[in-house]
């Protein structure tokens, strides 16, 4: 079956830190030349899709705001739709705060007034922030932006949203009521709404087995794991997840598509 749409992870797949993965810019260009429908789907909640697109464009990628969905934008949409007018307490960063505010979410700083708590990556995380978020959770809904344990940075991985969410969940002795971002249902619905093709006509490409590949498997899409980010070949060999193919990097993607078309 011909691939019509490609969902691309960003950190660890197209870029590592502030540098493009070798061959990634050319790969995106070649995919567009083939007429494929592209979506950059990231579990990084710290930037708006417009800011994310601008970052990628500055690095040389052909990408616009409509090509990008992040766990932050999914979270902002979800809270605005599911909890309209609810007082929302954020354990997270300025980018997610901006997205929530832009969707009309009522943000509060008083834990005792919270009706919804959103937990996400927070690079200024402290005991006091955890304490306040715990207090805010008393009687409030618990929403998490994404489960990523780590993010592939330039030299080595750094903590992502997952550890912040886990700390709050452990303190509160409860799991999030909703987990946005990959591999969740909301992210799969975003793919279905924004990318041409269905089932095996859509290929998900990413560097994480537990988010990128799991998203594709859960949604019945084709999957390609790249080894340029978090996951090693040993990880892939020992995992119960089964990507349709494993590539050294996204630079190998055009040749893979050529081989599928030749079958």
């Amino acid at each position: 079956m011909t691939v019509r749409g490609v969902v691309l992870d960003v950190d660890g797949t197209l870029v590592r830190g502030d540098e493009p993965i070798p061959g990634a810019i050319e790969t995106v260009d070649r995919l567009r030349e083939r007429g494929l429908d592209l979506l950059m789907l990231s579990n990084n909640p710290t930037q708006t899709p417009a800011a994310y697109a601008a970052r990628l464009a500055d690095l040389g990628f052909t990408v616009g705001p409509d090509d990008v969905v992040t766990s932050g934008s999914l979270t902002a949409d979800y809270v605005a739709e599911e909890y309209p007018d609810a007082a929302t307490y954020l354990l997270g960063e300025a980018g997610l705060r901006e997205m929530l505010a832009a969707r009309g979410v009522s943000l509060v700083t008083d834990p005792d007034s919270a009706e919804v708590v959103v937990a996400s990556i927070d690079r200024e995380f402290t005991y006091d922030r955890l304490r306040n978020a715990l207090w805010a959770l008393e009687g409030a809904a618990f929403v998490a932006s994404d489960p990523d344990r780590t993010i592939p940075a330039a030299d080595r991985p750094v903590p992502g949203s997952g550890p912040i969410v886990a700390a709050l969940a452990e303190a509160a002795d409860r799991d999030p009521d909703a987990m946005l971002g990959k591999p969740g249902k909301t992210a799969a619905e975003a793919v279905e709404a924004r990318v041409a093709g269905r089932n095996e006509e859509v290929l998900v490409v990413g560097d994480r087995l537990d988010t990128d590949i799991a998203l594709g498997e859960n949604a019945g899409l084709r999957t390609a794991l790249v080894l340029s980010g978090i996951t090693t070949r040993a990880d892939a060999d020992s995992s119960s997840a089964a990507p349709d193919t494993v590539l050294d990097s996204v630079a190998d993607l055009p040749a893979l598509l050529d081989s599928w078309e030749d079958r």
Side-chain angles (χ1 to χ4, degrees):
M1 185 177 292
T2 301
V3 171
R4 297 177 58 199
V6 178
V7 180
L8 294 163
D9 175 52
V10 179
D11 293 293
T13 300
L14 297 180
V15 301
R16 190 169 186 114
D18 293 323
E19 295 294 330
I21 301 270
I25 293 173
E26 295 79 6
T27 292
V28 170
D29 289 341
R30 290 185 63 183
L31 296 179
R32 292 199 185 281
E33 290 168 2
R34 298 173 78 113
L36 299 179
D37 195 13
L38 303 186
L39 176 67
M40 283 68 171
L41 180 58
S42 171
N43 266 5
N44 185 334
T46 64
Q47 294 180 303
T48 67
Y52 221 127
R55 170 197 171 200
L56 291 172
D58 286 345
L59 293 175
F61 289 93
T62 304
V63 59
D66 291 341
D67 299 322
V68 179
V69 170
T70 71
S71 59
S73 64
L74 292 172
T75 300
D77 288 344
Y78 177 85
V79 173
E81 292 168 7
E82 296 296 322
Y83 303 100
D85 304 319
T88 300
Y89 185 92
L90 174 63
L91 178 61
E93 299 193 357
L96 183 51
R97 181 174 297 276
E98 177 184 347
M99 284 181 270
L100 289 164
R103 294 289 279 111
V105 174
S106 176
L107 293 162
V108 297
T109 57
D110 176 12
D112 292 332
S113 66
E115 298 170 285
V116 178
V117 175
V118 175
S120 182
I121 187 172
D122 184 347
R123 285 168 288 189
E124 296 182 359
F125 185 60
T126 63
Y127 181 89
D128 287 351
R129 291 195 186 206
L130 176 60
R131 177 203 63 203
N132 290 344
L134 174 63
W135 290 348
L137 263 183
E138 295 176 3
F142 184 6
V143 175
S145 65
D146 64 272
D148 276 22
R149 294 188 297 273
T150 56
I151 301 168
D155 298 320
R156 47 189 168 177
V158 297
S161 297
I164 307 297
V165 174
L168 181 56
E170 180 68 17
D173 192 23
R174 59 181 284 197
D175 293 329
D177 300 308
M179 179 74 77
L180 287 305
K182 299 174 287 186
K185 178 182 177 181
T186 303
E189 290 172 347
V191 171
E192 183 176 0
R194 290 170 177 259
V195 177
R198 293 294 180 267
N199 302 321
E200 292 188 349
E201 294 177 333
V202 178
L203 172 65
V204 179
V205 184
D207 70 308
R208 297 193 72 104
L209 291 162
D210 58 346
T211 55
D212 302 307
I213 303 307
L215 171 73
E217 288 186 343
N218 293 344
L221 313 177
R222 292 199 207 188
T223 57
L225 176 73
V226 293
L227 303 178
S228 52
I230 293 294
T231 305
T232 66
R233 191 169 292 277
D235 294 332
D237 290 342
S238 62
S239 173
S240 59
D244 291 305
T245 191
V246 179
L247 306 174
D248 287 331
S249 84
V250 74
D252 300 322
L253 185 55
L256 172 69
L257 295 176
D258 287 340
S259 71
W260 283 350
E261 289 185 356
D262 289 341
R263 289 179 185 174

